[in-house]
Amino acid sequence: MADFFKVLSEVSRLQIVCSLKTGAKNVTEIIEETGLGQANVSKHLKMLTQAGVVAREQRGVCVYYRIANPFLFELCDLVCDALTMQVEQQSQQLQQLSQLRQSR
């Protein structure tokens, strides 16, 4: 489990995963969508494929990459929701502290 989350902990890999949310893409399409360099995209796709996050599919002379298991986006949504709640709670605490400081 730690290795799975480690693979997803890198910003460039998350960008690639997000670009594949709309469907399978080849390396050129991923580069265009993410703005990352070709060598960088290829390196990260290899890691994502080895981790089982992304699957490869040969179509003629092109290789297309897709998300291997769509549950990944449900997981990302859960994490994003939890982080949003955490930030909102921290914001409320900061507002309360600010009000306390102003009332002194």
Side-chain angles (χ1 to χ4, degrees), residues 2-10 13-14 47-48 51 53:
D3 289 339
F4 177 82
F5 283 106
K6 186 187 278 187
V7 168
L8 294 176
S9 70
E10 210 282 328
R13 288 193 285 273
L14 280 177
M47 293 178 81
L48 289 164
V53 174

Side-chain angles (χ1 to χ4, degrees), residues 7 44-56 65:
V7 168
H44 290 305
L45 282 169
K46 181 178 179 182
M47 293 178 81
L48 289 164
T49 302
Q50 289 173 340
V53 174
V54 168
R56 302 174 40 136
Y65 295 87

Side-chain angles (χ1 to χ4, degrees), residues 13-60:
R13 288 193 285 273
L14 280 177
Q15 286 179 288
I16 291 169
V17 166
C18 287
S19 79
L20 295 173
K21 190 171 187 174
T22 57
K25 292 183 177 64
N26 64 30
V27 173
T28 303
E29 293 168 325
I30 295 169
I31 290 167
E32 289 172 359
E33 197 162 307
T34 62
L36 299 169
Q38 191 273 329
N40 204 9
V41 168
S42 294
K43 175 184 79 170
H44 290 305
L45 282 169
K46 181 178 179 182
M47 293 178 81
L48 289 164
T49 302
Q50 289 173 340
V53 174
V54 168
R56 302 174 40 136
E57 182 183 335
Q58 188 84 30
R59 295 185 196 168

